[in-house]
Amino acid sequence: CGDEKNILAELEQNEVLWNQRMTWFWTRKEAVAKFLKLGGAIGFHQINTIADRPTIGDAFVNPIQLLSEYCGDYAVTIALSSE
């Protein structure tokens, strides 16, 4: 997603922050794909996970709410039904 690429580009000079944010985005994209039972059928570049309500293209992915946290060097994301 372009928005996520812009954020990562701003962090290029700080490898630790870049890795943290990349892992954050990746876990969120995986959670969306698994929640929707799409697996690898969707390109992760199509999923925007900056906000807690993800979008695919310009459309919100209802009824998903994302909850993400860091635990040490790891990031974890849970996708929940917001209904």
Side-chain angles (χ1 to χ4, degrees):
C1 166
D3 294 336
E4 293 161 345
K5 285 182 182 180
N6 292 338
I7 290 171
L8 291 171
E10 292 174 11
L11 299 174
E12 282 182 348
Q13 301 303 315
N14 188 325
E15 184 178 355
V16 171
L17 290 178
W18 189 94
N19 286 333
Q20 285 178 338
R21 187 52 65 175
M22 181 64 188
T23 302
W24 178 271
F25 289 144
W26 186 263
T27 63
R28 291 167 71 86
K29 290 172 183 288
E30 280 201 22
V32 170
K34 288 177 181 178
F35 184 91
L36 297 173
K37 298 179 182 172
L38 295 173
I42 187 167
F44 278 13
H45 66 279
Q46 296 174 283
I47 306 171
N48 183 336
T49 61
I50 290 175
D52 289 337
R53 287 192 59 215
T55 59
I56 296 178
D58 293 329
F60 280 109
V61 183
N62 289 319
I64 298 176
Q65 178 74 32
L66 298 175
L67 301 172
S68 301
E69 290 293 331
Y70 286 110
C71 182
D73 291 336
Y74 302 94
V76 62
T77 297
I78 298 171
L80 302 169
S81 174
S82 60
E83 292 184 333

